Amino acid sequence: MITIKIIYHSGYNHTKKQAEHVKIGADKVDNTKVDLVTTEEAIKDIDQFANVDAIIFGSPTYMGSVSADFKQFMDASSSAWFNRSWKDKIAAGFTNSGSMSGEKMNTLNTFIAFAMQHAMIWVGQAELDGSPKEEPGKPDAINRIGSALGAMAQSIQLSPDQTSASSGDLKTAEILGQRVANITKKFKS
Ligand SMILES: Cc1cc2nc3c(=O)[nH]c(=O)nc-3n(C[C@H](O)[C@H](O)[C@H](O)COP(=O)(O)O)c2cc1C
């Protein structure tokens, strides 16, 4: 059995939806236990990550970087950093923003630096941009934004009950979750 925690913050539920799709992907791998944890829950109990095999980080891109809530979680993890208790765990990340770029890469780079601070092992996104139709940018294309560092999604609130979340971005999130679970399994065996 491998265990994965997906820790995320979401102010308006767009990144939450992406997190749920990362879980759908990871759940496809046999003998995998996957939990979704909000930053609020994580900060209250940072020790819950000590015994998991992989941690996947998710944050909306706010002002060109991780949200303040996510940064609060990062800082709350300093006891785990000090004890090296996340060393050699698998790590990956995903982010969502309103603009197509919106500086999402900076958010993923922040996750990577954070994971390296904890001596974790980073797993990126493997799909070529726009597969399978080689049409990057199309809403239903996998990795339409073309990120190798982690899963990116672009979404905004179009009306109170409608968002622009694209099927391709959600599928991309699923593929990342599945990849992390498969790699974690290989790494443990
Ligand atoms: C405080 C704040 C800062 C934001 N900064 C950015 C930004 O730097 N780049 C961008 O493209 N979108 C930005 N946005 C838009 C959000 O990234 C976008 O609405 C996203 O879908 C919100 O995700 P959430 O519902 O998970 O909070 C910002 C939104 C807020 C509320």
Side-chain angles (χ1 to χ4, degrees), residues 93 123-127 142-143 147-152 172-173 175-176 179:
V123 172
Q125 186 89 41
E127 286 64 39
I142 306 299
N143 197 8
S147 169
L149 303 180
M152 287 185 176
T172 303
I175 292 170
L176 180 75
R179 174 165 155 84

Side-chain angles (χ1 to χ4, degrees), residues 9-16 59-65 96-104 154-157:
H9 167 248
S10 184
Y12 305 90
N13 291 335
H14 297 93
T15 313
K16 181 178 183 208
S59 170
T61 294
Y62 283 177
M63 305 314 295
S65 188
N96 163 72
S97 79
S99 300
M100 192 54 85
S101 164
E103 276 52 81
K104 281 193 280 289
Q154 179 270 331
S155 46
I156 50 169
Q157 202 72 34

Side-chain angles (χ1 to χ4, degrees), residues 55-97:
I55 309 175
I56 307 178
F57 307 119
S59 170
T61 294
Y62 283 177
M63 305 314 295
S65 188
V66 296
S67 65
D69 291 67
F70 195 88
K71 183 65 168 73
Q72 219 181 338
F73 157 72
M74 288 168 67
D75 293 355
S77 76
S78 62
S79 56
W81 173 86
F82 201 71
N83 297 328
R84 304 276 79 192
S85 58
W86 296 1
K87 182 173 177 285
D88 295 343
K89 291 187 192 302
I90 302 290
F94 59 93
T95 186
N96 163 72
S97 79

Side-chain angles (χ1 to χ4, degrees), residues 127-170:
E127 286 64 39
L128 295 178
D129 53 333
S131 60
K133 290 186 261 172
E134 295 176 0
E135 290 180 3
K138 291 275 164 105
D140 62 344
I142 306 299
N143 197 8
R144 66 175 176 142
I145 306 172
S147 169
L149 303 180
M152 287 185 176
Q154 179 270 331
S155 46
I156 50 169
Q157 202 72 34
L158 298 172
S159 68
D161 52 3
Q162 199 195 359
T163 81
S164 68
S166 93
S167 59
D169 290 349
L170 298 177

Side-chain angles (χ1 to χ4, degrees), residues 5-26:
K5 291 214 182 217
I6 301 165
I7 150 86
Y8 73 94
H9 167 248
S10 184
Y12 305 90
N13 291 335
H14 297 93
T15 313
K16 181 178 183 208
K17 190 161 189 183
Q18 201 184 4
E20 287 164 355
H21 281 263
V22 173
K23 176 169 161 51
I24 288 170

